[in-house]
Amino acid sequence: MASSVEQQKKLKLYSYFRSSCSHRVRIALKLKGLEYEYKAVSLLKGEHFSPEFTKLNPMGYVPVLVDEDIVVSDSFAILLYLEEKYPQHPLLPLDLQRRAINYQVQVI
């Protein structure tokens, strides 16, 4: 069984520094204390349309999180994935009503 440090090192985040969606994923990773490899994707240079990137996300948008053989795109889906897989330092409240309000804010 891999240690938590080994599990954390396998995370890769494909991101653009000016993307607000990517920014919230970076914040979540920091709050959860997860280490990750940052993979810069320049939207200005069109790198999100490269064959390497579109293999990960055919839609061609950032962010994309790679966790070993699991690829998750869309910041909201990534946040939910991180919350379920790495429960330390929860991002969401335990109270169901407060959690629902949190979901509403994320979707907007």
Side-chain angles (χ1 to χ4, degrees), residues 3-107:
S3 72
S4 63
V5 173
E6 289 170 344
Q7 289 177 339
Q8 291 174 13
K9 287 185 179 180
K10 69 184 173 201
L11 295 173
K12 292 180 187 173
L13 179 65
Y14 291 79
S15 177
Y16 181 60
F17 75 102
R18 294 168 96 181
S19 161
S20 60
C21 293
S22 295
H23 188 70
R24 72 169 139 181
V25 172
R26 292 192 306 270
I27 291 171
L29 288 163
K30 179 72 171 174
L31 289 173
K32 289 193 151 296
L34 297 171
E35 292 182 21
Y36 62 96
E37 181 181 348
Y38 182 84
K39 301 288 223 172
V41 178
S42 174
L43 302 182
L44 295 177
K45 294 179 182 176
E47 293 174 354
H48 54 303
F49 296 123
S50 72
E52 176 190 346
F53 188 77
T54 56
K55 192 182 290 186
L56 292 173
N57 183 0
M59 300 283 290
Y61 58 78
V62 294
V64 174
L65 181 78
V66 177
D67 187 2
E68 288 189 341
D69 59 345
I70 297 172
V71 178
V72 185
S73 58
D74 183 76
S75 62
F76 188 62
I78 292 169
L79 294 176
L80 292 175
Y81 174 81
L82 291 172
E83 189 71 352
E84 301 250 344
K85 174 120 187 225
Y86 303 99
Q88 72 273 19
H89 309 292
L91 302 171
L92 296 169
L94 295 176
D95 177 72
L96 186 59
Q97 182 178 5
R98 288 182 176 179
R99 188 178 284 241
I101 291 168
N102 217 291
Y103 289 151
Q104 291 172 345
V105 172
Q106 292 296 327
V107 172

